[in-house]
Amino acid sequence: MVPQDLISDVAAFVRERAALETGCETGIDGLFAFCSEKRTEFQAMIYEPVMCLVLQGAKEAHLDDRTVRYGAGKSLIVSHALPVTAGVIDASPDKPYVSLALQLDLATVRSLYDEIGPLQEPERASHSMSVAEGDPALFDAVGRLFRLARDPVEVQALAPLVLKEIHFRLLRASHGGMLRQLLLHESPASRISKAIALIRDRYKATLPVADLAAEAGMSQSTFHEHFKALTSTTPLQYQKELRLMEARRLLISGGKSVASAAYDVGYESPTQFSREYARKFGLPPRDEKLASAPLAQ
């Protein structure tokens, strides 16, 4: 059962800051509060390693052919950076969508190796985006972290302790298997994490799969298999998603032509770019630029 007072406190916090639909920082590094009184359009975005605790309503994320729905009382764990489309699917003025999201610190995760101990047996195959029922201890810890923001002195003294507790509880959660794999530097999860970091750093460049596999210390076939299992997409599709999302940002900002945006993110053919952009976002990039022009001004 989600504490009703926590739902009310988080919703009031967001409303006071006029941050409905967009969410806001809480004063705790990496902790964000969200409240939406209506369903939202699905938006393309990058889910960084994060924990999302849904207090009320529901949200849905799509990753290639994978759909993840997380509603009230659920906790979402994302262990690797993933390009998704996501939106609020259950919200109203009387019963808004309310959640708290915490960016995960992988250094903190790995610092807990001694407390968690070595993995006694291989983890079941798991995905880098998974959902399960949030246990009362996790709700309690996240609620305490949120309320620390009222007192900067308590933030400084106590937040690091509560953050460590939350990471510990996520590592022990039923859907924390991929986080537990990240405790091991040579696990497939850690190796794929290295490759994802390389793709994000050099997404504009041509990246042969052989080079990515070498970065991960795997054969090409093994690398491709693990990458697909963890992310529901291929390395090249992952890179394409990053390119298209950055191009969309450039177009909406109003500073780039369609051709310039295409070249800036690594496309050699504006025609191919326009075709893939329309397939991804539902309208040609030229129409996107025209529609966003008043906003840019």
Side-chain angles (χ1 to χ4, degrees), residues 3 12 44 60 64 74 83 87 105 107 113 162 165 168 199 215 242 268-269:
E60 194 170 273
D64 198 44
K74 303 289 187 180
D105 183 346
Y113 178 85
V162 184
E165 177 188 348
F168 176 80
I199 296 173
E215 175 71 14
L242 296 182
E268 297 180 358
S269 166

Side-chain angles (χ1 to χ4, degrees), residues 35-161:
C35 179
S36 178
E37 296 181 344
K38 61 183 180 181
R39 295 163 59 105
T40 64
E41 293 184 2
F42 279 75
Q43 299 285 338
M45 62 187 72
I46 297 290
Y47 270 9
E48 302 289 349
V50 70
M51 180 279 303
C52 180
L53 200 60
V54 181
L55 308 179
Q56 186 169 265
K59 195 170 185 180
E60 194 170 273
H62 299 161
L63 176 62
D64 198 44
D65 59 353
R66 181 179 174 84
T67 297
V68 175
R69 184 184 190 275
Y70 41 111
K74 303 289 187 180
S75 67
L76 169 78
I77 297 178
V78 179
S79 59
H80 295 67
L82 299 175
V84 304
T85 56
V88 173
I89 60 171
D90 181 9
S92 68
D94 293 334
K95 197 172 182 180
Y97 167 81
V98 182
S99 69
L100 289 166
L102 176 67
Q103 292 179 347
L104 299 182
D105 183 346
L106 297 186
T108 299
V109 168
R110 292 191 172 111
S111 76
L112 290 165
Y113 178 85
D114 288 338
E115 285 83 349
I116 297 298
L119 303 180
Q120 299 301 315
E121 57 186 30
E123 293 279 358
R124 291 181 303 162
S126 57
H127 194 273
S128 52
M129 182 168 62
S130 54
V131 177
E133 200 72 32
D135 67 80
L138 180 62
F139 275 100
D140 175 67
V142 175
R144 281 187 280 118
L145 183 66
F146 170 71
R147 290 185 172 114
L148 286 178
R150 299 169 180 172
D151 186 337
V153 176
E154 290 195 351
V155 170
Q156 185 172 359
L158 300 178
L161 302 176

Side-chain angles (χ1 to χ4, degrees), residues 119-217:
L119 303 180
Q120 299 301 315
E121 57 186 30
E123 293 279 358
R124 291 181 303 162
S126 57
H127 194 273
S128 52
M129 182 168 62
S130 54
V131 177
E133 200 72 32
D135 67 80
L138 180 62
F139 275 100
D140 175 67
V142 175
R144 281 187 280 118
L145 183 66
F146 170 71
R147 290 185 172 114
L148 286 178
R150 299 169 180 172
D151 186 337
V153 176
E154 290 195 351
V155 170
Q156 185 172 359
L158 300 178
L161 302 176
V162 184
L163 283 167
K164 185 174 182 179
E165 177 188 348
I166 291 170
H167 283 77
F168 176 80
R169 296 195 179 284
L170 293 173
L171 278 166
R172 300 193 70 192
S174 62
H175 58 318
M178 198 55 67
L179 284 184
R180 291 190 287 273
Q181 285 292 320
L182 288 172
L183 291 171
L184 307 176
H185 287 282
E186 296 305 313
S187 67
S190 291
R191 291 170 183 251
I192 296 302
S193 183
K194 293 178 185 177
I196 286 176
L198 179 61
I199 296 173
R200 297 187 73 184
D201 184 54
R202 298 177 54 196
Y203 72 91
K204 299 178 183 180
T206 300
L207 293 174
V209 174
D211 292 353
L212 295 171
E215 175 71 14

Side-chain angles (χ1 to χ4, degrees), residues 222-267:
T222 300
F223 171 71
H224 194 278
E225 177 185 351
H226 281 293
F227 196 100
K228 179 76 171 178
L230 264 68
T231 69
S232 294
T233 189
T234 66
L236 295 182
Q237 182 63 34
Y238 187 103
Q239 181 184 30
K240 183 194 296 184
E241 295 282 328
L242 296 182
R243 287 179 170 182
L244 291 172
M245 280 191 274
E246 174 60 13
R248 188 168 191 256
R249 186 191 68 79
L250 293 173
L251 291 172
I252 290 176
S253 69
K256 295 285 184 178
S257 67
V258 172
S260 294
Y263 293 132
D264 280 359
V265 299
Y267 277 88

